[in-house]
Amino acid sequence: MKFRLALGAALLATLPAHADLLGLTLSTHIAQTDSEPKASSAWQGDLSMRFKHPIPLVPNVAVVANKRKQGDPADGSSYQAELYYNLFDTAGLYVDLGAGYEGWESANSATDGSNDGEQIYAVGRVTWRFPGSGLGIESDLKLSLSEEDYQANLFRAGLNYQFFDSAAGGLALSGGYQYEDIATRHYSTDNSGAYLGLAYKF
């Protein structure tokens, strides 16, 4: 028992030295966009949790919840689960690549055949920070791989600023432009506009 306690204490003592290998990031985005066809209200938001670990060949995990109120048949909620690999995390460059599953529920159940949907998609994320600066650029891409009744693609590009990045965590603010298109068997819609994002890395 004493040996196990001593071993546990030793492992805990080594965690700060390897904190950069493990990561939990919580982030949120909100977008004010213009829709085609035109909508009476146009906003959407998401909340995501991303877990990164150092185990080789085992993918990292992310979950995302989305809410849309664009004033079109695609209004509603969706939930995503992703498996991704962190390809680069050095010299200010951070690159993720992976795939995910999205399940979508429309708030407009009166639209025949479009009150739910699901898809498989590819996802990529890139962040590059200017040397010696908290300022950087970012880009996110979600690309549908399904040929089902529901397909949703999303592209974001903008600037981000890292307020601090220490052993206790890091806080970043981002903003830029996004474009999204959604298609089902019965209708299609797209929207674009400005977004704001906030992320905290533990």
Side-chain angles (χ1 to χ4, degrees):
M1 183 67 177
K2 290 182 179 180
F3 174 76
R4 291 180 180 177
L5 290 174
L7 180 60
L11 290 173
L12 288 173
T14 63
L15 283 178
H18 302 285
D20 58 326
L21 298 179
L22 294 170
L24 176 63
T25 302
L26 298 178
S27 64
T28 184
H29 299 87
I30 188 165
Q32 181 71 36
T33 59
D34 294 324
S35 296
E36 292 294 342
K38 296 296 183 181
S40 58
S41 61
W43 68 269
Q44 63 191 89
D46 64 61
L47 179 65
S48 68
M49 180 174 65
R50 303 176 62 76
F51 177 71
K52 174 189 170 186
H53 61 76
I55 304 173
L57 302 181
V58 178
N60 302 295
V61 178
V63 292
V64 186
N66 304 277
K67 181 71 174 180
R68 299 181 80 259
K69 188 170 177 61
Q70 302 286 158
D72 60 36
D75 282 357
S77 304
S78 73
Y79 304 93
Q80 300 165 221
E82 298 175 2
L83 298 177
Y84 72 95
Y85 289 99
N86 179 219
L87 303 183
F88 295 98
D89 187 5
T90 184
L93 178 64
Y94 189 94
V95 180
D96 287 345
L97 186 63
Y101 166 84
E102 179 177 15
W104 168 72
E105 296 180 359
S106 174
N108 188 357
S109 58
T111 304
D112 182 33
S114 62
N115 60 340
D116 56 39
E118 57 185 3
Q119 70 168 352
I120 301 297
Y121 62 90
V123 61
R125 295 180 175 87
V126 177
T127 302
W128 182 72
R129 206 161 303 284
F130 300 118
S133 170
L135 183 65
I137 59 176
E138 66 178 19
S139 181
D140 295 353
L141 175 66
K142 181 179 78 172
L143 181 64
S144 178
L145 300 177
S146 300
E147 295 183 358
E148 304 296 334
D149 290 344
Y150 172 75
Q151 293 178 305
N153 302 297
L154 176 68
F155 171 76
R156 286 192 181 115
L159 298 175
N160 65 54
Y161 186 80
Q162 184 97 31
F163 288 100
F164 62 88
D165 188 8
S166 64
L171 179 67
L173 178 69
S174 62
Y177 171 89
Q178 75 171 41
Y179 170 83
E180 177 192 50
D181 65 74
I182 296 176
T184 74
R185 179 181 299 179
H186 302 277
Y187 71 91
S188 62
T189 182
D190 63 79
N191 61 79
S192 60
Y195 77 86
L196 285 175
L198 188 66
Y200 189 87
K201 181 178 180 181
F202 293 89

